[in-house]
Amino acid sequence: MGVLHGAARWAVDAGLLVVTLTRRHVDGSEVAYSEFADHDLGQAVAHMTVRARAMGLAAHRFRAFAPEGLTEDLASSPGWAVVSMVAPAGGRGRRGVAELPAAPWSPGVAGLRRRSRTPRPG
């Protein structure tokens, strides 16, 4: 991957590289698709990172690559731009899917308690 600069030392050995893209312009024009596109992508990457952590993984986010070269290599559609990359990595003590909470209020989630649905005396 010639597009990798500073990340080339370790990224070439990563088991998976996730390329993040956002739609910045409408059909290759200069008309903005959404003023929130980069923010929305950042939120998606943040949630992916949090979920990876919950699964006992790490997610290394990086920008040490040539986005223009990668955009060209991937032949992305007009108006779309490569923004960043994420390299998920195995963590210690990985849990099985059955052990993952389905929601933050699930039993067993440290520091969180399920709200009682019993009405309080009033």
Side-chain angles (χ1 to χ4, degrees):
M1 290 189 106
V3 298
L4 296 173
H5 295 302
R9 294 186 318 271
W10 59 267
V12 294
D13 294 325
L16 173 69
L17 293 175
V18 178
V19 177
T20 69
L21 296 99
T22 190
R23 188 169 184 185
R24 290 200 173 136
H25 299 100
V26 176
D27 299 326
S29 70
E30 291 301 313
V31 176
Y33 178 75
S34 169
E35 64 184 290
F36 305 109
D38 284 4
H39 174 270
D40 293 344
L41 177 62
Q43 286 294 306
V45 171
H47 284 91
M48 182 174 66
T49 302
V50 169
R51 187 63 182 157
R53 190 71 193 133
M55 296 173 69
L57 302 171
H60 180 80
R61 299 161 315 279
F62 65 99
R63 180 68 168 69
F65 63 92
E68 298 81 16
L70 190 54
T71 299
E72 186 178 309
D73 288 351
L74 295 175
S76 57
S77 298
W80 288 84
V82 172
V83 176
S84 65
M85 293 177 78
V86 181
R92 297 177 191 247
R94 181 177 171 157
R95 297 179 288 171
V97 173
E99 297 175 83
L100 295 175
W105 53 85
S106 295
V109 177
L112 298 176
R113 293 179 292 176
R114 179 175 273 191
R115 284 187 162 187
S116 171
R117 296 196 186 263
T118 308
R120 293 183 179 182

